[in-house]
């Protein structure tokens, strides 16, 4: 975000601003990749799984995952707003300098939330799959994804009607619709998990 703001708002020297912005964004992407790589060292291994009492440890991991999903709409709201703004600029024929980059952020955030609800974000880790794929969690996923499908269906009707009135507004609204669809899924999953915890 700092890189994008520097590239767009650097007052004195635009070339220097683009350089600083590009370096900042590259450093951010490198940090994300490195953190994802090193985070695997702290995932539960077979010994951890045996030492912990099975159901209590499973419940703890599932609770932490539900919490992390529930935070995603908060962290992605501003990026989705920028994506909607960029989509409006592109569809209206007056794009800014970074609109091509920002317009994809909303769909990416919405897609990531849906992948997490569906359990497709970490398919290769068999230990985590064993912890997260019990019968109750699978029922939570199905119900959360059904809620997301309902939101998407209603939203598409609204976007279609908006497109009949102003096509640029419909293009700009699509990232927001994907964000709302993902948000509905993760919040439904989180509420189901809380209800199960309360018994």
């Amino acid at each position: 975000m700092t890189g994008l703001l520097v590239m767009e708002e650097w007052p004195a020297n635009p070339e220097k601003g683009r350089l600083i912005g590009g370096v900042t964004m590259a450093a951010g992407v490198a940090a994300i990749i490195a953190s994802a790589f090193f985070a695997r060292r702290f995932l539960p291994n077979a010994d951890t799984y045996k030492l912990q009492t099975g159901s209590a440890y499973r419940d703890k991991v599932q609770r932490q995952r539900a919490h992390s999903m529930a935070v995603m709409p908060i962290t992605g709201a501003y990026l989705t707003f920028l994506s909607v703004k960029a989509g409006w600029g592109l569809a209206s024929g007056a794009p800014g300098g970074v609109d091509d980059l920002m317009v994809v952020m909303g769909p990416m955030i919405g897609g990531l939330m849906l992948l997490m609800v569906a359990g497709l974000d970490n398919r290769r880790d068999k230990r985590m799959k064993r912890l997260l794929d019990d019968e109750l969690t699978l029922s939570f996923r199905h119900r959360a994804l059904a809620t997301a499908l309902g939101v998407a269906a209603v939203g598409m009707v609204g976007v279609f009607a908006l497109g009949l009135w102003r096509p640029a507004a419909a293009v700009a609204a699509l990232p927001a619709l994907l964000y709302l669809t993902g948000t509905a899924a993760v919040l439904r999953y989180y509420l189901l998990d809380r209800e199960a915890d309360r018994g």
Side-chain angles (χ1 to χ4, degrees):
M1 286 308 303
T2 303
L4 291 172
L5 289 173
V6 168
M7 289 171 71
E8 194 167 342
E9 303 296 338
W10 191 269
N13 189 341
E15 293 296 326
K16 188 174 182 182
R18 281 195 287 273
L19 176 62
I20 293 173
V23 170
T24 307
M25 286 191 293
V29 171
I32 291 170
I33 294 170
S35 63
F37 174 77
F38 287 113
R40 294 187 64 80
R41 299 178 55 194
F42 300 99
L43 291 174
N45 56 28
D47 295 332
T48 306
Y49 187 71
K50 288 175 185 174
L51 287 172
Q52 302 282 350
T53 55
S55 63
Y57 184 61
R58 180 190 299 271
D59 290 345
K60 179 183 175 184
V61 172
Q62 291 177 355
R63 192 179 314 115
Q64 289 173 343
R65 182 172 176 85
H67 283 162
S68 66
M69 284 195 291
V71 170
M72 285 195 68
I74 301 170
T75 58
Y78 183 64
L79 288 176
T80 302
F81 167 74
L82 292 178
S83 181
V84 169
K85 185 179 170 185
W88 177 267
L90 287 170
S92 300
V98 292
D99 282 357
D100 293 339
L101 178 64
M102 286 309 303
V103 76
V104 301
M105 296 304 295
M108 282 176 59
I109 291 165
L112 180 59
M113 287 193 279
L114 291 171
L115 284 175
M116 288 186 74
V117 171
L120 301 175
D121 58 317
N122 201 13
R123 289 175 62 85
R124 293 185 180 181
D125 196 319
K126 294 181 181 177
R127 290 187 296 270
M128 289 299 287
K129 188 174 175 61
R130 189 167 63 239
L131 289 169
L132 296 171
D133 281 3
D134 61 0
E135 214 171 292
L136 184 62
T137 302
L138 291 175
S139 74
F140 290 171
R141 285 180 184 165
H142 294 155
R143 290 163 73 181
L145 290 172
T147 301
L149 181 61
V151 171
V154 172
M156 285 303 294
V157 173
V159 169
F160 175 73
L162 190 64
L164 294 176
W165 170 63
R166 182 170 289 183
V171 172
L174 282 173
L177 175 59
L178 289 167
Y179 170 79
L180 289 175
T181 302
T183 298
V186 297
L187 291 182
R188 177 71 168 147
Y189 186 98
Y190 177 76
L191 291 174
L192 289 169
D193 184 76
R194 293 300 90 212
E195 287 177 13
D197 271 356
R198 288 194 294 267

